[in-house]
Amino acid sequence: MATIRKRSEGTYQIRVSCGYGVDGKQRKQFKSYKPEPGMTPKQIEKELTRQAVLFEEECKRGQITSAVKFEKFAEQWFEEYAKVNLRPASYARMKQLTKRVYPAIGHKRLDKITARDIQKFVTDMLVNGKNMNTGKPLSRKTAVHHLSFISDVFSYAIRMGMLTDNPCRRVYVPKQEQDEKQIYTIDEVKKLYENLRSEPMKYQVYLLLAIYSGYRRSEMLGLEWKDIDFENNIIHVRRTSQYTAEKGIYTDTTKTRKSKRVSKMPVSIMNLLKHFKAEQEAEAAQLGTKWEDHDRLFTKWNGAPMNPQTPFEWLKGYCERIGVPFRNIHSLRHLHASLLIFEGVDVVAVSSDMGHRVVGTTLNLYSHMFHEAKARNCDAISNALSFTNDIGTEEGSPAEDDTETETEQQVLTL
């Protein structure tokens, strides 16, 4: 509620409380009012009441807000909200985003940042931004992540009573042509397999299990021997293995509730796992007390959980050694999905197998693959009804002659 105080010089001060700032102190806004000459005390009182109401509404609409700068408040958001509610890996990724956000808008007051300021930052990031590791242009997904971080900070400011509007709602992230996912071809997979026996057993298991299961890297590294049911040839996904610079390697829950799942495996994979388990037990016995028993499948030399970067570095080096293009460790998961799709497995089953929270995620990620698989339905029907292929041809004229003529006409048209 607004309060009014008379000053000695014949003016009045209107004060409105605007919530609390990042430091926990109450924020107040002030406005001065000077009556017009000749106004009666009753007229002044009436106008003061009107001015107080208007000023209070102006404050509530967010036209006047706290003067805290974005970077300072964002750091408070990290401490008060992100550390408590986000997973350590998500927290670390958010921290990485500040490297671009703070130089752009960190010095600006929250109440002075407009949708246009944020739009300029997002657009510039897509036009001029480069990936720090690869030097390639930044993707739309990267821009969305940055915008989401900024929006989260503004949403928190609104909940704290410091703002009434989130300018991110009006920001548009331009669409980009989606690149097809880089997936190993069957010939490349065959070459990977043919040369695999010369590699350490744990990497043999990792590569083949990743292809057959489609598990995320964090899920692969989170597997423990108690998750392997040798009797029924199934594997349970129950946890993930993560890494941050602050915490090191740690165990976390799965990405989503549906990521906890059970996979049926072929006998060949289960036999490979049996050999791997026997080899690991022999290594543990040889190291004795130096062996750290974490029950993990994929470990360092001493039984400690494997670093998430290790499979990436191994696969990259392995591809270079045998002359196969390196298509990233996550492409093994995409390969698994593509094999399911091209074998005619429906989208709901694929989504469940991949551990996606909703079917829409699967459709968005692999839409072009489903379209290609659907296009083959026409060939399947044609093959099944091959006895009707002479429909539409003139009597006595071979169908292939017409096809050939049609093709020639198409070439001439082009």
Side-chain angles (χ1 to χ4, degrees):
M1 180 178 288
T3 57
I4 301 170
R5 181 170 67 90
K6 186 175 181 179
R7 287 175 170 173
S8 57
E9 62 268 24
T11 61
Y12 296 84
Q13 182 190 71
I14 304 172
R15 184 183 68 184
V16 173
S17 175
C18 295
Y20 293 85
V22 69
D23 54 5
K25 295 180 180 179
Q26 190 177 37
R27 298 297 185 194
K28 301 172 184 177
Q29 298 293 339
F30 301 89
K31 179 179 180 178
S32 294
Y33 169 72
K34 186 175 182 179
E36 295 288 334
M39 291 181 71
T40 65
K42 191 171 183 179
Q43 288 175 323
I44 293 172
E45 182 182 358
K46 184 177 180 180
E47 182 61 21
L48 268 173
T49 302
R50 190 179 79 86
Q51 290 290 336
V53 170
L54 291 175
F55 184 55
E56 189 172 14
E57 289 179 355
E58 186 181 11
C59 292
K60 287 180 179 179
R61 288 197 302 270
Q63 294 176 6
I64 298 177
T65 57
S66 67
V68 65
K69 292 184 178 179
F70 181 87
E71 181 175 349
K72 183 177 181 181
F73 185 73
E75 287 300 308
Q76 192 72 16
W77 174 81
F78 275 114
E79 288 299 315
E80 294 177 357
Y81 179 83
K83 249 183 186 177
V84 178
N85 294 282
L86 299 183
R87 294 182 178 184
S90 299
Y91 178 90
R93 282 194 293 270
M94 287 287 195
K95 275 289 189 181
Q96 287 291 319
L97 300 178
T98 63
K99 293 180 180 179
R100 286 193 175 93
V101 174
Y102 286 173
I105 62 172
H107 61 287
K108 292 178 177 285
R109 283 171 42 171
L110 279 174
D111 58 320
K112 298 298 183 182
I113 297 175
T114 64
R116 189 173 181 180
D117 293 327
I118 302 170
Q119 184 70 67
K120 183 179 181 301
F121 165 67
V122 169
T123 304
D124 184 65
M125 189 164 45
L126 288 173
V127 174
N128 302 313
K130 298 290 184 183
N131 186 293
M132 297 175 185
N133 297 321
T134 64
K136 294 181 180 180
L138 296 175
S139 66
R140 184 179 189 274
K141 185 177 179 180
T142 300
V144 169
H145 286 165
H146 283 77
L147 178 61
S148 179
F149 161 61
I150 297 170
S151 181
D152 286 347
V153 173
F154 271 102
S155 295
Y156 187 65
I158 291 171
R159 286 199 297 274
M160 294 298 103
M162 299 171 64
L163 294 171
T164 59
D165 179 55
N166 186 340
C168 295
R169 294 187 299 108
R170 296 181 290 280
V171 175
Y172 171 72
V173 183
K175 291 185 177 180
Q176 293 178 328
E177 186 175 342
Q178 191 172 3
D179 295 332
E180 286 194 8
K181 300 193 181 307
Q182 294 294 310
I183 302 174
Y184 289 101
T185 66
I186 294 298
D187 287 339
E188 289 168 348
V189 173
K190 186 178 179 182
K191 194 170 182 180
L192 287 170
Y193 176 75
E194 289 172 346
N195 294 273
L196 198 56
R197 292 186 183 277
S198 60
E199 297 298 309
M201 176 64 77
K202 61 183 175 183
Y203 297 125
Q204 294 183 40
V205 174
Y206 187 97
L207 180 67
L208 292 175
L209 184 57
I211 295 173
Y212 272 91
S213 68
Y215 294 159
R216 300 175 178 92
R217 175 170 43 175
S218 59
E219 293 170 345
M220 290 280 291
L221 298 182
L223 288 175
E224 297 180 0
W225 287 112
K226 60 177 166 283
D227 302 323
I228 315 298
D229 184 346
F230 286 107
E231 185 176 343
N232 297 299
N233 293 345
I234 60 176
I235 297 177
H236 297 263
V237 175
R238 295 185 171 112
R239 74 197 68 77
T240 61
S241 185
Q242 305 283 357
Y243 172 86
T244 65
E246 186 177 314
K247 293 191 68 172
I249 301 171
Y250 65 96
T251 301
D252 203 351
T253 57
T254 54
K255 187 174 182 179
T256 67
R257 182 177 57 83
K258 287 194 174 182
S259 294
K260 284 189 175 182
R261 56 199 188 280
V262 178
S263 303
K264 184 79 172 180
M265 288 292 151
V267 174
S268 59
I269 293 297
M270 300 307 290
N271 286 338
L272 185 63
L273 284 169
K274 288 176 183 177
H275 288 303
F276 180 40
K277 190 173 190 297
E279 182 182 283
Q280 192 181 90
E281 289 173 348
E283 290 176 356
Q286 188 174 359
L287 284 174
T289 56
K290 292 182 180 179
W291 180 265
E292 297 180 18
D293 190 8
H294 294 268
D295 199 39
R296 290 287 170 89
L297 272 69
F298 302 105
T299 68
K300 298 178 182 178
W301 66 273
N302 62 346
M306 181 183 284
N307 189 295
Q309 189 66 13
T310 301
F312 177 94
E313 296 296 342
W314 168 78
L315 183 58
K316 184 178 180 182
Y318 178 54
C319 288
E320 291 173 355
R321 289 193 295 275
I322 65 174
V324 171
F326 175 60
R327 305 190 188 281
N328 202 312
I329 196 80
H330 202 68
S331 63
L332 299 175
R333 178 168 161 83
H334 295 320
L335 171 63
H336 174 84
S338 69
L339 293 173
L340 292 178
I341 294 167
F342 281 96
E343 284 300 317
V345 179
D346 67 272
V347 63
V348 176
V350 173
S351 182
S352 176
D353 184 81
M354 300 294 285
H356 290 153
R357 186 173 61 87
V358 292
V359 173
T361 302
T362 313
L363 285 170
N364 289 335
L365 286 173
Y366 304 109
S367 58
H368 66 286
M369 296 182 190
F370 280 107
H371 287 315
E372 290 174 14
K374 187 177 180 180
R376 293 187 303 161
N377 292 348
C378 178
D379 295 332
I381 294 172
S382 296
N383 292 334
L385 303 177
S386 58
F387 55 85
T388 67
N389 286 348
D390 59 348
I391 293 177
T393 62
E394 293 183 9
E395 189 175 350
S397 300
E400 49 268 33
D401 289 344
D402 287 342
T403 304
E404 196 171 80
T405 303
E406 184 179 343
T407 305
E408 290 173 357
Q409 290 174 349
Q410 289 175 350
V411 172
L412 288 173
T413 304
L414 291 173

